[in-house]
Amino acid sequence: MSGTATNDPPVSEMGLVVVGAAGRMGQALIRAIHTIPGARVAGAIERAGSPHIGKDAGELAGIGTIGVVIGDDPLPAFARADGVLDFTSPAATVEFAGYAAQARIAHVIGTTGCSADDNAKIAAAARHATIVKSGNMSLGVNLLAVLVEQAARALDADDFDIEILEMHHRHKVDAPSGTALLLGEAAAAGRGIDLDGNSVRSRDGHTGVRRTGSIGFATLRGGSVVGDHSVVLAGTGERITLAHHAEDRAIFARGAVKAALWARGRKPGLYTMRDVLGLA
């Protein structure tokens, strides 16, 4: 009715559910949604038994009351939403992918450490849902991946060795990081090889000489480091280092929200941040 006040959000806003809402990344996602035009927090989910169940998601994230209470049942939240932002665990992400497919909503996945079986299940869900999955949601890292692929293509494997070094905070549970693997995939694509068959994940003891064409990974853990990644292309008499240093989780959260807004209304499928950023 004309002149009648309403508190309903504008139709143009995309309602997003944050799963793992009480975690550090979940709170960063809630803050990012709150600041990016075109998006709103439509739901917040935590695991059953979490002490944060029943709390206002905005208050927990430090932005004040937003009227979204943290719950433990994703199904009704997904049914009311346009998309879900997911930086949880592989098992939870596979479950959420199935729910997102049922609800026909966008699913943005920043979860790392997924197995080949997990990825196969996510790909199956993408037949019915628009999924954006990336080991890193930041513009800088995805641009770095493009540069790494170009450099690996330009520099012959007989002349330049590739090593990837990453460091994260002491609480990170998977290694190498999803970002390191993303960069490794980019290097392998540039070389025209398969990463799984050409990566070296650890070195200890008498390892022998370095195998030509292999891509090495080194992992460091400690302190509160958000994320440091370096790709070293080492030749004889010269060395090229391409690097990215993350100083705030907000860069990943903003990227995830932008990915959700990009995915809205697109046909089902499995996309990456390169698609979102026009770098594919």
Side-chain angles (χ1 to χ4, degrees):
M1 182 183 298
S2 177
T4 301
T6 176
N7 292 322
D8 291 339
V11 175
S12 61
E13 285 190 328
M14 185 177 188
L16 298 173
V17 176
V18 176
V19 292
R24 288 174 297 179
M25 196 62 216
Q27 293 180 46
L29 289 166
I30 291 167
R31 290 191 291 270
I33 295 169
H34 191 65
T35 60
I36 294 177
R40 64 181 176 87
V41 180
I45 302 298
E46 260 298 331
R47 68 187 183 281
S50 167
H52 302 290
I53 300 295
K55 296 181 179 179
D56 186 276
E59 288 186 352
L60 187 63
I63 58 174
T65 302
I66 61 174
V68 175
V69 176
I70 298 174
D72 60 5
D73 187 355
L75 292 178
F78 283 29
R80 297 190 301 267
D82 302 303
V84 55
L85 305 183
D86 178 3
F87 287 69
T88 56
S89 66
T93 290
V94 168
E95 184 177 359
F96 293 138
Y99 296 153
Q102 292 176 31
R104 300 295 198 271
I105 60 175
H107 187 188
V108 176
I109 301 174
T111 303
T112 58
C114 292
S115 67
D117 184 57
D118 295 329
N119 286 328
K121 291 176 180 176
I122 292 168
R127 292 198 293 265
H128 304 288
T130 306
I131 297 179
V132 179
K133 184 178 186 295
S134 178
N136 194 295
M137 295 286 172
S138 83
L139 170 61
V141 161
N142 284 279
L143 179 57
L144 174 62
V146 173
L147 297 175
V148 168
E149 183 174 337
Q150 292 176 342
R153 182 178 297 115
L155 302 174
D156 192 272
D158 290 331
D159 299 323
F160 281 84
D161 301 316
I162 298 178
E163 293 286 317
I164 299 172
L165 172 67
E166 58 103 341
M167 182 170 186
H168 284 82
H169 52 88
R170 61 168 66 95
H171 301 292
K172 188 167 179 62
V173 298
D174 57 307
S177 70
T179 303
L181 293 174
L182 181 152
L183 295 171
E185 291 285 1
R191 289 270 165 93
I193 60 175
D194 175 64
L195 180 63
D196 288 340
N198 292 278
S199 66
V200 177
R201 302 294 181 87
S202 64
R203 297 186 178 98
D204 186 29
H206 187 75
T207 60
V209 299
R210 192 184 195 282
R211 180 164 53 89
T212 299
S214 61
I215 297 173
F217 290 84
T219 298
L220 305 178
R221 294 287 180 266
S224 59
V225 178
V226 173
D228 287 350
H229 295 86
S230 300
V231 179
V232 180
L233 299 104
T236 301
E238 60 181 332
R239 187 170 68 249
I240 301 165
T241 302
L242 302 172
H244 179 272
H245 304 285
E247 299 174 353
D248 190 337
R249 285 181 183 80
I251 63 173
F252 312 130
R254 289 193 297 268
V257 177
K258 290 179 180 178
L261 293 170
W262 177 89
R264 189 181 193 184
R266 293 187 185 271
K267 66 180 181 180
L270 185 57
Y271 301 90
T272 71
M273 282 301 287
R274 285 204 193 188
D275 296 305
V276 174
L277 300 169
L279 298 173

